[in-house]
């Protein structure tokens, strides 16, 4: 597969065209950003860690029947992925209240939620990715139909169920996470982007230590060590 011109550069990844119009190369960057890129950092090796973590998790989800854009990992920090048209929604699933939910609703940080809460945020940096409801999504044609919205919620919950169980076996509580979906040339909804400590919150079930990007957001240090620890636990054989 030949790497061609840069198609898009985001905060965490670069996407390149290839000689196949339906296949892209996704390169994970070492950059770290938080608060809509108001805080910027760089951690050497972070891109490769996220690439490995995301590859493992996408494979796990594929084994459970979730369709993803991942074709294969071709180097430490690059993947071959199917070209999709990204649905401009961040699908956030929460098991424990923290972050923006606590700020918005005044809940106590760390409260276990009675059910997995699914939220949609409109992907727009200029607007600071606002929370949107179903009717906003339909009114702005962010999705084709109400059934696509239901499908995104169903997929979010299903992914949560699989990952939560997987991480619990490894001593990590999956607090919340964000996923993105795209539509491929055949019209399938595919899990896209990445699942990594940049897009999830993991708390150690014994020590409550944060093992995710909150270490960067909150200036706690030890970012790379935390990501390495998440990868180590993912690679532990448990079944
Ligand atoms: N998240 C993300 N990208 C974003 C916003 C949130 O990956 O642009 C993830 C974040 O890592 C967390 C979950 O989505 O796992 C919920 O984040 P929250 O809404 O609490 O936002 P934050 O407190 O990070 O602003």
């Amino acid at each position: 597969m030949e790497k061609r011109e840069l198609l898009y550069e985001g905060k965490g990844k670069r996407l390149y065209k290839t000689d196949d119009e339906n296949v892209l190369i996704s390169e994970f960057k070492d950059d770290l950003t938080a608060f809509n890129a108001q805080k910027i950092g760089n951690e050497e090796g972070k891109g490769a860690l996220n690439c490995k973590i995301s590859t493992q998790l996408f494979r796990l989800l594929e084994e459970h029947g979730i369709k993803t854009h991942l074709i294969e990992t071709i180097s430490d920090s690059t993947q071959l992925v199917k070209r999709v048209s990204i649905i401009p929604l961040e699908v956030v699933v929460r098991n424990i209240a923290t972050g923006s939910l606590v700020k918005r609703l005044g809940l106590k940080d760390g409260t276990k939620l009675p059910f997995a809460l699914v939220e949609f945020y409109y992907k727009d940096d200029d607007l600071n990715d606002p929370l949107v409801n179903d009717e906003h999504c339909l009114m702005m044609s962010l999705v084709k139909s109400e059934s696509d919205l239901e499908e995104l919620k169903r997929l979010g919950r299903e992914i949560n169920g699989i990952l939560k169980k997987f991480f619990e076996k490894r001593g990590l509580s999956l607090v919340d996470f964000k996923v993105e979906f795209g539509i491929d040339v055949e019209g399938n909804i595919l899990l896209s982007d990445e699942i990594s400590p940049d897009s999830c919150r993991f708390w150690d079930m014994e020590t409550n230590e944060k093992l995710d990007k909150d270490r960067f957001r909150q200036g706690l240090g030890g970012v790379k060590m935390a990501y390495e620890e998440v990868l180590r636990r993912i690679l532990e054989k448990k079944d």
Side-chain angles (χ1 to χ4, degrees), residues 167-179:
F167 282 109
E168 267 167 16
K169 282 191 198 159
R170 289 161 178 80
L172 288 178
S173 169
L174 177 63
V175 174
D176 58 26
F177 63 93
K178 179 268 303 181
V179 276

Side-chain angles (χ1 to χ4, degrees), residues 46-233:
K46 193 266 304 184
L49 280 165
N50 275 0
C51 182
K52 291 196 180 81
I53 290 169
S54 198
T55 299
Q56 292 290 330
L57 297 179
F58 273 48
R59 289 281 169 253
L60 170 76
L61 293 168
E62 293 250 354
E63 283 166 21
H64 285 81
I66 306 280
K67 291 189 199 132
T68 81
H69 75 158
L70 177 62
I71 301 170
E72 60 175 322
T73 298
I74 50 173
S75 80
D76 267 3
S77 57
T78 55
Q79 296 177 334
L80 273 190
V81 299
K82 289 184 194 154
R83 186 172 188 157
V84 295
S85 155
I86 288 284
I87 298 171
L89 287 174
E90 298 195 332
V91 180
V92 168
V93 186
R94 303 175 185 271
N95 298 302
I96 295 175
T98 193
S100 71
L101 183 69
V102 162
K103 285 194 207 116
R104 192 179 333 113
L105 299 181
L107 302 176
K108 188 172 174 312
D109 198 289
T111 309
K112 190 175 175 302
L113 301 177
F115 54 86
L117 182 73
V118 182
E119 298 174 328
F120 296 126
Y121 292 83
Y122 175 38
K123 268 168 69 73
D124 187 313
D125 286 342
D126 293 339
L127 298 174
N128 238 328
D129 297 345
L131 177 74
V132 285
N133 68 19
D134 289 19
E135 293 200 4
H136 293 131
C137 295
L138 294 170
M139 181 266 292
M140 291 170 59
S141 302
L142 305 180
V143 287
K144 281 200 316 288
S145 62
E146 219 163 334
S147 72
D148 277 5
L149 276 181
E150 290 310 316
E151 180 65 2
L152 295 181
K153 287 183 210 168
R154 193 191 66 73
L155 283 166
R157 289 194 191 98
E158 198 177 336
I159 291 168
N160 182 53
I162 298 162
L163 294 183
K164 193 166 171 281
K165 190 165 156 224
F166 177 84
F167 282 109
E168 267 167 16
K169 282 191 198 159
R170 289 161 178 80
L172 288 178
S173 169
L174 177 63
V175 174
D176 58 26
F177 63 93
K178 179 268 303 181
V179 276
E180 294 183 26
F181 296 90
I183 315 238
D184 70 5
V185 277
E186 286 145 12
N188 301 303
I189 297 183
L190 304 184
L191 174 65
S192 302
D193 194 49
E194 68 178 285
I195 302 182
S196 74
D198 273 2
S199 59
C200 303
R201 288 191 172 102
F202 299 112
W203 292 353
D204 186 291
M205 288 166 75
E206 269 183 20
T207 65
N208 256 345
E209 195 185 10
K210 296 177 199 290
L211 293 171
D212 55 61
K213 197 164 92 171
D214 272 351
R215 302 203 70 84
F216 172 71
R217 291 188 188 97
Q218 299 171 10
L220 302 174
V223 175
K224 197 171 166 193
M225 261 165 34
Y227 286 39
E228 280 167 347
E229 179 61 15
V230 171
L231 177 61
R232 191 188 68 73
R233 302 231 194 158

